[in-house]
Amino acid sequence: FSSRLVPSWLMVSQRPFEELIGGDSLKRALSISIARTHVTKNKKCTHWQLPQNTVARYVRLQLENFDFLHIAQVEVFGTIGQNNLSVGRCAYVDCGRQCTAAVVEPLKDPTDIQIAYKRAVQADARNADILRQLETFALEYDKFGREIRIGACVNCNAGGEQCAMCQMRLAFKTEFEEIPLGTAGRCLTLDEMAKMLLTAPKPKLNYTPKQKAD
């Protein structure tokens, strides 16, 4: 019966999949999935490791063709550490106006420390000025500074879901191309970007007045 499982698609999504059968149901399911894999080999056990930073809630296994679907079981496992956005037990929390500070035990894995620093600085360059004061991130500041421009964004999901910063840069692509860098070519902070966008010249309107009837 395992031969009936191929070809099929295994996919995950942050939104519920539609309960459709046949037609374009597979195409619509793939369109809302943030990560997917094509199962083409007949094996007793198929293993799929999701891309890093993938956050999903719903899982679907769907045949590519019309046939009976026979499976013994489907097991879904989460990951620990930075991949699951968990950095340990919170020791202290303090809430202020429009901000929340949480204190957790220091990270021990150098890779996790580097990923945490990159995520913070890519979200807002000003975070580098805060993290440089902590001994844990002193080496990361000396290595990367106030900006992370190498490689893909670590805050975006590998399945195609963009982070808020990348969505903003895409929405205001033309404005960002004209915005100059900060002093000595440093990366702008979120506050500086907001000020630049709010004061940027407004685009010209393509308005054609209506002709008055005689």
Side-chain angles (χ1 to χ4, degrees):
F1 295 110
S2 61
S3 60
R4 295 180 178 176
L5 188 60
V6 293
S8 62
W9 285 89
L10 182 59
M11 63 197 88
V12 295
S13 171
Q14 296 178 347
R15 295 180 294 162
F17 291 101
E18 298 179 277
E19 296 183 2
L20 300 176
I21 300 176
D24 61 346
S25 61
L26 178 59
K27 181 179 178 180
R28 296 177 66 170
L30 290 172
S31 65
I32 67 171
S33 64
I34 60 174
R36 63 202 68 82
T37 184
H38 196 195
V39 181
T40 58
K41 294 183 179 180
N42 182 11
K43 297 191 298 184
K44 182 178 180 181
C45 180
T46 299
H47 176 263
W48 177 37
Q49 183 174 355
L50 288 170
Q52 187 179 12
N53 297 338
T54 301
V55 179
R57 183 177 181 182
Y58 301 93
V59 181
R60 166 170 280 195
L61 175 62
Q62 185 168 349
L63 292 177
E64 191 172 87
N65 303 316
F66 186 80
D67 201 346
F68 293 99
L69 177 61
H70 286 91
I71 55 175
Q73 61 183 3
V74 176
E75 297 181 336
V76 182
F77 299 95
T79 55
I80 61 175
Q82 286 293 90
N83 292 338
N84 200 32
L85 305 180
S86 174
V87 294
R89 183 183 296 275
C90 184
Y92 178 77
V93 176
D94 192 9
C95 299
R97 185 176 182 180
Q98 299 182 351
C99 66
T100 302
V103 179
V104 298
E105 295 182 359
L107 297 172
K108 299 179 180 180
D109 190 344
T111 302
D112 285 346
I113 295 176
Q114 185 177 109
I115 293 176
Y117 182 85
K118 286 183 176 181
R119 284 178 174 171
V121 176
Q122 282 193 334
D124 188 355
R126 179 165 293 175
N127 290 331
D129 300 331
I130 300 174
L131 295 178
R132 67 181 296 187
Q133 304 176 49
L134 305 177
E135 183 179 355
T136 303
F137 298 100
L139 294 177
E140 308 307 320
Y141 181 85
D142 293 339
K143 183 177 181 180
F144 299 105
R146 299 181 75 256
E147 51 188 314
I148 307 295
R149 294 183 178 178
I150 302 176
C153 177
V154 294
N155 291 323
C156 293
N157 290 330
E161 193 77 14
Q162 289 185 324
C163 66
M165 177 62 73
C166 290
Q167 290 179 9
M168 181 182 68
R169 290 184 178 277
L170 182 61
F172 300 97
K173 182 179 180 180
T174 303
E175 289 79 1
F176 274 109
E177 290 176 351
E178 300 177 356
I179 292 178
L181 294 175
T183 306
R186 67 181 180 84
C187 188
L188 299 177
T189 64
L190 272 179
D191 290 340
E192 293 171 336
M193 291 180 186
K195 185 177 180 180
M196 291 284 189
L197 290 175
L198 291 173
T199 57
K202 303 299 185 294
K204 295 182 180 180
L205 295 177
N206 296 324
Y207 173 71
T208 302
K210 294 182 179 181
Q211 299 293 334
K212 294 183 178 180
D214 296 334

